Amino acid sequence: MSKHQLKRLKRFEEKMRKRPEMRAKERQKKKERIKAMREQGIELGPSRKKLKKNCMVDSACKTQVVIDCSFDHLMQDKQVMCLVQQLQFCYAANRRAANPLQFYVTSCDDKTLTRLDQAGNYRNWDIHYKTEPYHEVFPKENIVYLSSESDNVLEAFEDDKAYIIGGLVDFNHHKGLCHKLAVERGLQHARLPIDEYAFLKTRKVLTINHVFEILLHFSETKSWKEAFLSVIPSRKGLRVLPESATSKNTNSSDTAQNHVTRETDLSEAKTNKSND
């Protein structure tokens, strides 16, 4: 062993020897900080005991939100680590909500599952884990895949629908893949109504946990504007549109949606006629 390696080993051993003392000091500082905040009347949020009782099964919200983790083969280990971290953020936000979403993680196997095992006792988290893909868990007619490339606008939730978020951390290497898969499988798809309520200086593609938290906030407030303001980070340059512009954009999207509906009806009519 070289001198450099011996020095590193000694530093590590010294760090491990002092660790219990350092953790005791950190716990004491945390207690003092909490005590000071309580004396100042600062809201500390729900306690751990209260959070444990805040389960999906008791939630008044029955909206199903799913993270589709079927993209392991397209991600490197670093990207899988980012995915698992974002799943943790989603779980943390959901368990702190007054009425949590019905949170599912599908196709949970391979590299994602291995990384979750390293993250802790994830099986005790209040999440529905499924090794099967989402289209085997939910009926096809109840699936709505969320994609920023979709022309359809998500205006409100339906309790019987399952809203799918693509669990792909790719740094724009596979742009439009989730939307492409949804179209190929004949699934319903939709985008968040960002254009109808706000303006972003950067791209409208958000992280998995940001999309999840927006859906969570909307389920609580029934306001997309409040959800966007609460979740979208300032670096995105979010600017809320005036009410007049919001109503104009909403009417435009309604017109476009009606046009899509008419086209679908015409297509079905032609199919029925040809079958006759």
Side-chain angles (χ1 to χ4, degrees):
M1 189 177 291
S2 65
K3 289 182 179 180
H4 179 66
Q5 288 174 323
L6 282 171
K7 286 181 180 179
R8 289 183 62 185
L9 179 60
K10 286 180 179 179
R11 284 198 299 269
F12 177 75
E13 289 174 348
E14 182 68 13
K15 180 180 177 181
M16 296 301 292
R17 186 180 66 81
K18 291 183 177 179
R19 177 174 283 184
E21 181 184 349
M22 295 298 294
R23 287 190 171 178
K25 287 181 179 179
E26 288 172 2
R27 284 195 293 269
Q28 184 60 33
K29 285 182 180 179
K30 184 178 180 180
K31 287 180 181 178
E32 292 172 357
R33 187 166 63 250
I34 291 173
K35 183 180 178 181
M37 291 173 71
R38 282 176 177 162
E39 289 174 352
Q40 296 172 22
I42 299 174
E43 178 62 39
L44 298 176
S47 64
R48 281 181 173 268
K49 187 175 181 180
K50 186 176 180 181
L51 287 174
K52 284 182 180 179
K53 295 180 180 179
N54 202 29
C55 302
M56 291 188 293
V57 67
D58 299 322
S59 176
C61 178
K62 302 306 177 185
T63 302
Q64 302 168 118
V65 176
V66 186
I67 310 295
D68 170 22
C69 295
S70 62
F71 303 100
D72 272 6
H73 61 291
L74 299 175
M75 294 187 288
Q76 299 176 355
D77 290 342
K78 184 178 179 181
Q79 294 166 331
V80 173
M81 287 176 62
C82 289
L83 168 62
V84 171
Q85 186 179 48
Q86 291 179 32
L87 289 177
Q88 289 174 295
F89 290 152
C90 293
Y91 169 62
N94 202 43
R95 74 192 298 258
R96 282 168 173 76
N99 288 291
L101 296 167
Q102 302 302 310
F103 184 16
Y104 288 78
V105 175
T106 60
S107 299
C108 187
D109 53 13
D110 202 20
K111 291 188 286 187
T112 301
L113 188 60
T114 302
R115 185 61 193 171
L116 276 169
D117 280 326
Q118 297 170 358
N121 192 12
Y122 72 94
R123 294 190 184 277
N124 285 338
W125 296 355
D126 193 25
I127 298 176
H128 299 298
Y129 290 103
K130 303 290 182 182
T131 54
E132 305 95 327
Y134 61 89
H135 50 82
E136 292 182 8
V137 178
F138 304 98
K140 181 178 178 180
E141 62 272 15
N142 290 354
I143 295 173
V144 179
Y145 213 115
L146 300 179
S147 166
S148 59
E149 287 83 12
S150 177
D151 294 327
N152 306 319
V153 181
L154 179 64
E155 292 291 347
F157 291 144
E158 297 178 50
D159 286 345
D160 63 335
K161 300 296 185 185
Y163 300 93
I164 317 296
I165 303 172
L168 175 61
V169 180
D170 67 338
F171 305 110
N172 205 30
H173 292 155
H174 301 282
K175 186 177 180 181
L177 176 61
C178 293
H179 182 249
K180 179 184 175 184
L181 292 174
V183 172
E184 288 176 351
R185 290 170 180 164
L187 302 174
Q188 299 175 67
H189 50 82
R191 63 173 175 82
L192 298 180
I194 297 177
D195 290 338
E196 284 69 24
Y197 293 92
F199 169 79
L200 292 179
K201 289 183 180 179
T202 60
R203 293 172 62 242
K204 298 181 183 65
V205 178
L206 303 172
T207 62
I208 296 163
N209 57 292
H210 285 156
V211 176
F212 183 92
E213 289 177 40
I214 286 171
L215 298 177
L216 178 60
H217 276 272
F218 178 72
S219 72
E220 294 177 326
T221 64
K222 308 304 178 188
S223 169
W224 287 114
K225 188 181 294 185
E226 288 184 33
F228 295 143
L229 286 171
S230 299
V231 177
I232 295 179
S234 57
R235 69 175 183 273
K236 289 282 188 179
L238 176 69
R239 192 177 74 223
V240 175
L241 296 177
E243 289 296 332
S244 58
T246 300
S247 59
K248 183 178 179 181
N249 286 348
T250 304
N251 292 334
S252 298
S253 68
D254 289 343
T255 303
Q257 185 63 40
N258 291 336
H259 180 66
V260 171
T261 304
R262 285 197 301 272
E263 286 187 345
T264 304
D265 292 342
L266 286 171
S267 176
E268 291 177 352
K270 288 179 180 178
T271 304
N272 294 334
K273 186 175 180 181
S274 60
N275 291 335
D276 293 342

